[in-house]
Amino acid sequence: MILTVTLNTALDLTYRVPALRPHATHRVTDVRERPGGKGLNVARVLAALGHQVTVTGFVGGPTGRVVQERLTAATGIVDALVPVAGTTRRTVAVVDARTGDATQLNEPGPVIAPAEWSAFQEAYEGLLAGADAVALCGSLPPGVPVGAYAVLVRTARAAGVPVLLDTSGEPLRRGVAARPDIVKPNATELAELTGSHEPLRATQDARRRGAHAVVASLGVEGLVAATPEGRWRAVPPARIHGNPTGAGDSLAAGLLSGLVDRLPWPERLARALALSAATVLAPVAGEFDHSAYEELLGRLTVIPEVTAA
């Protein structure tokens, strides 16, 4: 079982409009509603790949009930979300059908009380006993300590469960120092962490700060990775046009899938990037175009940068 943690779960709404223009009224041509937050997106992709997944985090209020109802219908996903008094947030993505660009509006999430954070940590420790790997993903809701991910990384390491961390800002900085197995920032998050805008150098710096392996997503330019086995660059065969929302979550899912399947790093990176690119072609986060994934997987190039990291 793979465990995904989404402390700031959401109900994701995706609106598609012919063209997005500021200060204008828009006619929505398509509406999609899904359980969201980065960890839930990762879980759906993992389940589509055939993995058994358990999801945990916080959920509450009327929006939270909708999230759990949607999860009940999902194949291969077990709901272990922890109830709270507040109401789960909503996120809105407005996709411009002409360009494929998405504009994202994210609510902050419910305020988590100290007793609710303690209850979650107790539930998390219990779930780790049956986990092959764990993903810690996304923002922290108000009330959760900024060092929360560092605490959860250490708990996973003490239980002998490999952990992937995908967050940003101060939670990322503190989480990296707790020595997660994989860190998956995007280029902006990596630069904020290390102060370097050269991705290969920055991934090495992030490893020195504590991460066992660092995989940085570079958007249309693919990814770079610094691992104990070497440094790598993976490049898509062509520019992919579509909705990029959730592409980073699919990248994280591919890395976790490759980890539990014990794939060598080049194969893990190819799987992750193919999933990420195929997600751009799908209408909503947490889904990917299966035929595009299979086709891309055979065409991606993974280039070793050096023989040792």
Side-chain angles (χ1 to χ4, degrees):
M1 177 268 285
I2 299 176
L3 177 65
T4 73
V5 174
T6 313
L7 295 178
N8 211 2
T9 55
L11 181 65
D12 283 350
L13 301 172
T14 302
Y15 296 146
R16 185 173 292 271
V17 299
L20 183 61
R21 300 183 306 277
H23 316 298
T25 299
H26 297 79
R27 184 175 297 278
V28 176
T29 58
D30 184 60
V31 181
R32 303 293 179 98
E33 186 178 81
R34 295 286 189 278
K38 294 178 73 64
L40 293 186
N41 294 337
V42 170
R44 283 204 300 277
V45 174
L46 287 167
L49 292 172
H51 295 283
Q52 293 297 309
V53 189
T54 295
V55 297
T56 191
F58 296 114
V59 68
T63 308
R65 286 195 292 273
V66 175
V67 168
Q68 292 190 289
E69 288 169 5
R70 295 286 192 273
L71 285 173
T72 300
T75 302
I77 297 178
V78 175
D79 174 4
L81 293 168
V82 176
V84 295
T87 297
T88 297
R89 65 185 178 136
R90 295 161 298 180
T91 67
V92 178
V94 183
V95 180
D96 186 322
R98 180 188 54 186
T99 65
D101 293 334
T103 299
Q104 195 83 18
L105 304 172
N106 295 338
E107 296 178 358
V111 176
I112 304 302
E116 292 170 335
W117 170 234
S118 296
F120 171 79
Q121 291 181 80
E122 182 177 349
Y124 173 72
E125 289 187 34
L127 291 167
L128 285 172
D132 299 312
V134 59
L136 308 175
C137 302
S139 62
L140 300 178
V144 172
V146 70
Y149 282 135
V151 172
L152 299 182
V153 168
R154 293 188 190 101
T155 303
R157 287 179 57 83
V161 179
V163 55
L164 177 147
L165 177 62
D166 183 7
T167 188
S168 60
E170 186 65 12
L172 174 61
R173 189 185 71 80
R174 297 196 188 194
V176 166
R179 305 187 65 81
D181 294 85
I182 304 173
V183 173
K184 192 220 70 64
N186 60 32
T188 300
E189 293 161 351
L190 183 63
E192 289 175 351
L193 173 67
T194 65
S196 173
H197 292 272
E198 201 293 303
L200 276 172
R201 180 179 304 145
T203 54
Q204 285 290 86
D205 186 14
R207 283 200 70 212
R208 285 191 290 270
R209 291 167 185 256
H212 192 63
V214 181
V215 181
S217 56
L218 307 179
V220 296
E221 297 179 13
L223 59 82
V224 294
T227 80
E229 298 175 15
R231 292 191 295 181
W232 316 87
R233 183 184 297 273
V235 183
R239 186 183 180 92
I240 307 296
H241 296 277
N243 176 12
T245 306
D249 303 330
S250 292
L251 186 72
L255 293 171
L256 276 174
S257 175
L259 185 154
V260 298
D261 287 346
R262 302 183 183 276
L263 296 181
W265 270 104
E267 293 180 36
R268 290 192 209 182
L269 297 174
R271 177 180 291 184
L273 186 55
L275 283 169
S276 179
T279 296
V280 175
L281 300 173
V284 293
E287 296 182 0
F288 63 94
D289 185 307
H290 288 256
S291 60
Y293 164 64
E294 295 293 344
E295 192 268 339
L296 285 163
L297 192 58
R299 296 175 55 205
L300 287 171
T301 303
V302 180
I303 306 164
E305 293 288 339
V306 293
T307 57

